[in-house]
Coordinates of all heavy atoms in Angstrom, one line a residue:
V1 N -18.5 -27.1 -15.8 CA -17.8 -28.0 -14.9 C -17.1 -29.0 -15.7 O -17.7 -29.7 -16.5 CB -18.8 -28.6 -13.9 CG1 -18.1 -29.6 -13.0 CG2 -19.5 -27.5 -13.0
T2 N -15.8 -29.2 -15.4 CA -15.0 -30.1 -16.3 C -13.9 -30.7 -15.4 O -13.4 -30.0 -14.5 CB -14.5 -29.3 -17.5 OG1 -13.8 -30.3 -18.4 CG2 -13.6 -28.2 -17.1
P3 N -13.5 -31.9 -15.7 CA -12.3 -32.5 -15.0 C -11.1 -31.8 -15.3 O -10.8 -31.4 -16.5 CB -12.3 -34.0 -15.5 CG -13.6 -34.2 -16.2 CD -14.1 -32.9 -16.7
A4 N -10.2 -31.6 -14.3 CA -8.9 -31.0 -14.6 C -8.1 -31.9 -15.5 O -8.1 -33.1 -15.2 CB -8.2 -30.7 -13.3
P5 N -7.4 -31.4 -16.5 CA -6.6 -32.3 -17.4 C -5.6 -33.1 -16.6 O -5.0 -32.6 -15.6 CB -6.0 -31.3 -18.3 CG -6.8 -30.1 -18.3 CD -7.3 -30.0 -16.9
G6 N -5.4 -34.3 -17.1 CA -4.3 -35.1 -16.5 C -4.7 -35.7 -15.1 O -3.8 -36.3 -14.5
A7 N -5.9 -35.6 -14.7 CA -6.3 -36.1 -13.4 C -7.5 -37.1 -13.6 O -8.6 -36.8 -13.1 CB -6.7 -34.9 -12.5
N8 N -7.3 -38.2 -14.3 CA -8.4 -39.1 -14.5 C -9.6 -38.5 -15.1 O -10.7 -38.4 -14.4 CB -8.7 -39.8 -13.2 CG -9.7 -41.0 -13.3 OD1 -9.9 -41.4 -14.5 ND2 -10.3 -41.4 -12.2
T9 N -9.5 -37.9 -16.2 CA -10.5 -37.1 -16.9 C -11.7 -37.9 -17.3 O -12.8 -37.4 -17.6 CB -10.0 -36.4 -18.1 OG1 -9.4 -37.3 -19.0 CG2 -9.0 -35.3 -17.7
G10 N -11.6 -39.3 -17.2 CA -12.8 -40.1 -17.6 C -13.8 -40.3 -16.5 O -14.8 -41.0 -16.6
R11 N -13.6 -39.5 -15.3 CA -14.6 -39.7 -14.2 C -16.0 -39.2 -14.6 O -17.0 -39.7 -14.1 CB -14.1 -38.8 -13.0 CG -12.8 -39.4 -12.4 CD -12.3 -38.5 -11.3 NE -11.6 -37.3 -11.9 CZ -11.9 -36.1 -11.6 NH1 -12.9 -35.8 -10.7 NH2 -11.3 -35.1 -12.2
Y12 N -16.1 -38.2 -15.4 CA -17.4 -37.7 -15.9 C -17.1 -36.9 -17.1 O -16.0 -36.5 -17.5 CB -18.1 -36.9 -14.8 CG -17.3 -35.7 -14.3 CD1 -17.5 -34.4 -14.9 CD2 -16.4 -35.8 -13.3 CE1 -16.8 -33.3 -14.5 CE2 -15.7 -34.7 -12.8 CZ -15.9 -33.5 -13.4 OH -15.2 -32.4 -12.9
T13 N -18.2 -36.5 -17.9 CA -18.1 -35.7 -19.1 C -18.4 -34.3 -18.7 O -19.3 -34.0 -17.9 CB -19.1 -36.2 -20.1 OG1 -18.8 -37.6 -20.5 CG2 -19.0 -35.4 -21.4
E14 N -17.6 -33.4 -19.3 CA -17.8 -31.9 -19.0 C -19.3 -31.5 -19.3 O -19.9 -32.1 -20.2 CB -16.8 -31.1 -19.8 CG -17.0 -31.1 -21.3 CD -16.3 -32.3 -22.0 OE1 -15.7 -33.2 -21.2 OE2 -16.2 -32.3 -23.2
F15 N -19.8 -30.6 -18.5 CA -21.2 -30.1 -18.7 C -21.3 -28.7 -18.3 O -20.4 -28.1 -17.7 CB -22.1 -31.0 -17.9 CG -21.9 -31.0 -16.4 CD1 -22.5 -30.1 -15.6 CD2 -21.0 -31.9 -15.8 CE1 -22.3 -30.1 -14.2 CE2 -20.8 -31.9 -14.4 CZ -21.4 -31.0 -13.6
V16 N -22.5 -28.1 -18.7 CA -22.8 -26.7 -18.4 C -23.9 -26.7 -17.2 O -24.8 -27.5 -17.2 CB -23.4 -26.0 -19.6 CG1 -24.1 -24.7 -19.2 CG2 -22.3 -25.8 -20.6
L17 N -23.7 -25.9 -16.2 CA -24.7 -25.7 -15.2 C -25.9 -25.1 -15.8 O -25.9 -24.1 -16.5 CB -24.1 -24.8 -14.1 CG -23.0 -25.4 -13.2 CD1 -22.6 -24.3 -12.1 CD2 -23.5 -26.6 -12.4
D18 N -27.1 -25.7 -15.4 CA -28.4 -25.3 -15.9 C -29.2 -24.6 -14.8 O -29.5 -25.3 -13.8 CB -29.1 -26.5 -16.4 CG -30.4 -26.1 -17.1 OD1 -30.8 -24.9 -17.1 OD2 -31.2 -27.0 -17.5
P19 N -29.5 -23.3 -14.9 CA -30.2 -22.6 -13.8 C -31.7 -22.9 -13.8 O -32.4 -22.5 -12.9 CB -30.0 -21.1 -14.1 CG -29.8 -21.1 -15.6 CD -29.1 -22.4 -15.9
T20 N -32.2 -23.6 -14.8 CA -33.7 -24.0 -14.9 C -34.1 -24.7 -13.6 O -33.3 -25.6 -13.1 CB -33.9 -24.9 -16.1 OG1 -33.4 -24.3 -17.3 CG2 -35.4 -25.2 -16.3
P21 N -35.2 -24.4 -13.0 CA -36.3 -23.5 -13.5 C -36.3 -22.1 -13.0 O -37.3 -21.4 -13.1 CB -37.5 -24.3 -12.9 CG -37.0 -24.7 -11.5 CD -35.6 -25.1 -11.7
L22 N -35.1 -21.6 -12.5 CA -35.1 -20.2 -12.0 C -35.2 -19.3 -13.2 O -34.7 -19.6 -14.3 CB -33.8 -20.0 -11.2 CG -33.6 -20.9 -10.0 CD1 -32.3 -20.4 -9.3 CD2 -34.8 -20.8 -9.1
P23 N -35.8 -18.1 -13.0 CA -36.0 -17.2 -14.1 C -34.6 -16.6 -14.6 O -33.7 -16.3 -13.8 CB -36.8 -16.1 -13.5 CG -36.6 -16.2 -12.0 CD -36.3 -17.6 -11.7
M24 N -34.5 -16.4 -15.9 CA -33.3 -15.8 -16.5 C -33.9 -14.9 -17.6 O -35.1 -14.8 -17.9 CB -32.4 -16.9 -17.1 CG -31.8 -17.8 -16.1 SD -30.6 -17.0 -14.9 CE -29.2 -16.9 -16.0
N25 N -33.0 -14.2 -18.3 CA -33.3 -13.5 -19.5 C -32.1 -13.3 -20.4 O -31.0 -13.6 -19.9 CB -34.0 -12.1 -19.1 CG -33.0 -11.1 -18.5 OD1 -31.9 -10.9 -18.9 ND2 -33.5 -10.5 -17.4
P26 N -32.2 -12.8 -21.6 CA -31.0 -12.8 -22.5 C -30.0 -11.8 -22.1 O -28.9 -11.7 -22.7 CB -31.7 -12.4 -23.9 CG -33.1 -12.7 -23.7 CD -33.5 -12.4 -22.3
H27 N -30.2 -11.0 -21.1 CA -29.3 -9.9 -20.7 C -28.6 -10.1 -19.4 O -28.2 -9.2 -18.7 CB -30.1 -8.6 -20.6 CG -31.1 -8.4 -21.8 ND1 -30.7 -8.3 -23.1 CD2 -32.5 -8.2 -21.7 CE1 -31.8 -8.2 -23.8 NE2 -32.9 -8.1 -23.1

């Protein structure tokens, strides 16, 4: 999730969605 360029990008810092604590695996 990241701000669209040129649209007040300082609103927040880009980040990755974290599925924890739901189960995942390497595949």
